[in-house]
Amino acid sequence: MGYAMSRLEMDSELCDGDKTMPEAGSSKRASKSLDKLDHEIAQVTKLNSSPHKQLAKLVPGTQKLSVSPVKMLVGREANYSARGRFSAADRCHMLSRYLPVKGPWLVDQMSTRAYVSQFSADGSLFVAGFQGSYIRIYNVEDGWKVQKNILAKSLRWTVTDTSLSPDQRHLVYASMSPIVHIVDVGSAETESLANVTELHDGLDFSSSSDGSYSFGIFSVKFSTDGRELVAGSSDDSIYVYDLEQNKLSLKILAHTSDVNTVCFADESGHLLFSGSDDNLCKVWDRRCFIAKGKPAGVLSGHLEGITFIDSHGDGRYFISNGKDQTIKLWDIRKMAPNATSYSGLRNYEWDYRWMDYPYEARDLKHPSDQSIATYKGHSVLRTLIRCYFSPVYSTGQKYIYTGSHDSCVYIYDLVTGEQVASLQHHKSTVRDCSWHPYYPMLVSSSWDGDVVKWEFPCNGEAQVPATKKRIRRQ
């Protein structure tokens, strides 16, 4: 594969001075770019992805925005950091120049829609979930071989979400049912047929004892310590499941419509973020529930339902994808104690499941928008399309990326709002995509059944492009 190299080797491979990323000035811009984000997170991003300030004193001409790898190597040899090596920000400054935009190369191809695709935390595994009951776990460092082929149990409609445990020993999968199934992915079995070759234990998120399928789960995530699961559901609620005690530990009637997305804000597990079809994002602090179901704060600004939330990981910032065709960036310090969904501007009938977004709605603005930035250019239709911050290690979270109904993957600059890349291959909606935590590699999955990888090649390997390589459908 060439990707089993150490992180230090990767740094060396990317610093030979011969490789370049696409020129920012030649890329398309979002339909409405930010003037420039004037907020604390802009400074944080700069600190995380800019070269050491001492470099300017040692190497003339480094005051400009982008410093060449050659000049950075000169600075390192001069020991500008007094540590004899690149700082984390130096590394991000170089690696973030090499966007994973070349390709794509086919990873897998199925006859049903791909709904979920995510790298594990260390990047060694990749999980893809399909509407046809299959969930596949690929070993990234062993030529993308299928390490686990899971046939889901009691699937209703589709695999709506999956989550790998932090130790990568277990995977949970959800569908339009209150039962979340858990699989031992560390076992030797490759074929995991539910309750035939392996047990897929059912975790009941329903508070009723009659076994009724009264709601479905759209979002499920492991806590950082692997002891809990948090889930968002179609009955407007957030659930927390205690895996050690094997029981539901918390239910919050959180919103007035479907909770499409929920996640932990940081490693502590105390704060939760949720997003709903009631157009609101909410923050929940489990340490200080004053009243049952009362959030720590509410953030309004989307004009339509929220499809996904990704945390910056610091317990302060997060982004959300909305059916109003925007991604919004939030600072929870701006949240209000309460808010209600605002629909005063909507004088049209629209259903995102089958209609295009109304032209007259594209420039509407929420009168009390609490977000700190808005990103436009992609399309959020037909399904709960996901968006993410780019990796900490290789980019300093300098970018935001998202799938899109128009079959592309979009990458935006967090600070400028500029659309720096648009990845085009798929023939249908891209619901999910995932950027490798350490390497310049991004994998996208689509309703056309294709799972493909995009890279910035650094090992000279010749690969067969997805347009020429086909895999027998399952």
Side-chain angles (χ1 to χ4, degrees):
M1 267 298 297
Y3 282 100
M5 66 178 74
S6 70
R7 298 176 199 171
L8 180 59
E9 289 173 326
M10 172 59 71
D11 290 346
S12 300
E13 287 286 333
L14 291 176
C15 297
D16 60 9
D18 295 328
K19 304 178 178 72
T20 58
M21 69 171 282
E23 291 292 332
S26 64
S27 62
K28 294 181 180 179
R29 291 184 175 272
S31 57
K32 188 173 183 181
S33 296
L34 307 173
D35 292 334
K36 191 169 185 180
L37 182 58
D38 182 19
H39 189 276
E40 180 183 307
I41 192 174
Q43 182 63 18
V44 170
T45 304
K46 181 179 179 181
L47 290 173
N48 288 341
S49 58
S50 297
H52 196 283
K53 60 183 179 181
Q54 292 298 322
L55 189 62
K57 298 179 180 179
L58 294 170
V59 183
T62 57
Q63 292 86 357
K64 62 183 180 180
L65 182 63
S66 181
V67 182
S68 75
V70 172
K71 289 183 177 179
M72 295 206 59
L73 285 169
V74 170
R76 187 181 69 176
E77 292 305 306
N79 197 22
Y80 66 87
S81 66
R83 291 184 293 179
R85 57 184 173 85
F86 288 128
S87 67
D90 292 336
R91 179 186 65 238
C92 289
H93 182 73
M94 287 191 296
L95 291 176
S96 64
R97 296 159 56 90
Y98 300 88
L99 295 177
V101 297
K102 296 192 177 181
W105 292 276
L106 194 64
V107 171
D108 206 349
Q109 185 181 61
M110 300 288 277
S111 59
T112 58
R113 296 172 173 178
Y115 268 73
V116 182
S117 57
Q118 283 296 296
F119 281 106
S120 60
D122 67 358
S124 64
L125 301 178
F126 184 83
V127 180
F130 302 86
Q131 190 173 19
S133 299
Y134 278 99
I135 302 168
R136 287 186 166 179
I137 302 178
Y138 307 88
N139 189 319
V140 177
E141 297 176 352
D142 188 21
W144 289 85
K145 291 181 180 178
V146 176
Q147 179 168 306
K148 202 80 167 179
N149 192 36
I150 300 168
L151 184 60
K153 178 190 177 185
S154 305
L155 194 69
R156 301 193 69 190
W157 177 243
T158 185
V159 175
T160 53
D161 204 4
T162 64
S163 183
L164 268 175
S165 61
D167 61 7
Q168 300 180 182
R169 293 183 57 190
H170 296 90
L171 178 133
V172 293
Y173 61 86
S175 68
M176 294 305 295
S177 157
I179 308 298
V180 170
H181 293 279
I182 186 166
V183 186
D184 181 0
V185 299
S187 69
E189 291 287 340
T190 299
E191 297 296 324
S192 181
L193 179 60
N195 296 349
V196 176
T197 61
E198 287 187 322
L199 290 177
H200 292 195
D201 288 335
L203 311 176
D204 191 354
F205 279 66
S206 174
S207 56
S208 65
S209 59
D210 59 4
S212 62
Y213 292 98
S214 56
F215 64 89
I217 291 176
F218 292 115
S219 176
V220 63
K221 297 289 182 295
F222 270 99
S223 60
T224 305
D225 60 12
R227 297 177 179 177
E228 293 181 312
L229 294 172
V230 62
S233 72
S234 63
D235 67 346
D236 313 343
S237 299
I238 295 173
Y239 293 87
V240 177
Y241 196 96
D242 188 319
L243 291 169
E244 292 187 334
Q245 298 189 31
N246 195 27
K247 68 176 184 179
L248 195 66
S249 61
L250 178 65
K251 176 186 177 181
I252 308 168
L253 185 57
H255 291 267
T256 59
S257 190
D258 293 351
V259 180
N260 295 324
T261 177
V262 63
C263 67
F264 289 97
D266 56 21
E267 293 184 355
S268 72
H270 299 311
L271 287 179
L272 301 173
F273 298 146
S274 64
S276 167
D277 273 337
D278 64 12
N279 308 351
L280 299 175
C281 297
K282 294 187 178 182
V283 181
W284 307 87
D285 192 337
R286 300 168 64 194
R287 297 165 296 186
C288 54
F289 279 129
I290 300 173
K292 186 176 181 181
K294 183 177 177 63
V298 182
L299 291 156
S300 58
H302 279 292
L303 292 171
E304 301 289 346
I306 293 149
T307 64
F308 197 74
I309 282 175
D310 186 42
S311 175
H312 196 255
D314 54 10
R316 181 175 296 173
Y317 304 110
F318 67 92
I319 55 173
S320 59
N321 224 352
K323 298 176 184 178
D324 56 5
Q325 316 302 296
T326 68
I327 293 174
K328 287 187 176 289
L329 173 65
W330 308 89
D331 181 344
I332 70 170
R333 293 171 296 182
K334 296 173 69 71
M335 64 188 180
N338 52 64
T340 57
S341 177
Y342 184 80
S343 57
L345 296 175
R346 186 170 181 175
N347 57 1
Y348 51 85
E349 291 296 325
W350 177 65
D351 189 326
Y352 100 118
R353 293 172 297 180
W354 61 277
M355 299 171 68
D356 290 335
Y357 195 60
Y359 181 80
E360 61 269 27
R362 295 180 184 274
D363 293 323
L364 295 179
K365 295 182 179 179
H366 195 291
S368 303
D369 189 351
Q370 295 166 287
S371 66
I372 58 177
T374 301
Y375 308 82
K376 293 183 178 182
H378 61 294
S379 174
V380 184
L381 296 168
R382 309 296 186 267
T383 187
L384 303 179
I385 291 172
R386 302 178 167 199
C387 64
Y388 304 92
F389 289 100
S390 62
V392 174
Y393 179 86
S394 58
T395 72
Q397 296 179 295
K398 183 179 179 178
Y399 304 110
I400 289 170
Y401 65 102
T402 179
S404 180
H405 170 65
D406 65 6
S407 311
C408 299
V409 175
Y410 289 86
I411 304 175
Y412 301 106
D413 186 290
L414 174 72
V415 176
T416 67
E418 181 182 9
Q419 179 188 307
V420 297
S422 173
L423 311 184
Q424 302 177 22
H425 158 76
H426 294 287
K427 305 302 182 185
S428 189
T429 301
V430 178
R431 186 179 190 268
D432 205 0
C433 46
S434 187
W435 197 318
H436 193 284
Y438 301 116
Y439 303 133
M441 177 198 298
L442 186 149
V443 176
S444 58
S445 60
S446 167
W447 278 10
D448 62 13
D450 281 6
V451 179
V452 299
K453 61 177 178 176
W454 308 80
E455 300 178 272
F456 191 97
C458 60
N459 55 9
E461 288 186 1
Q463 302 190 57
V464 180
T467 54
K468 296 181 179 178
K469 180 181 178 182
R470 312 309 289 173
I471 293 177
R472 188 193 311 173
R473 293 183 179 273
Q474 300 296 316

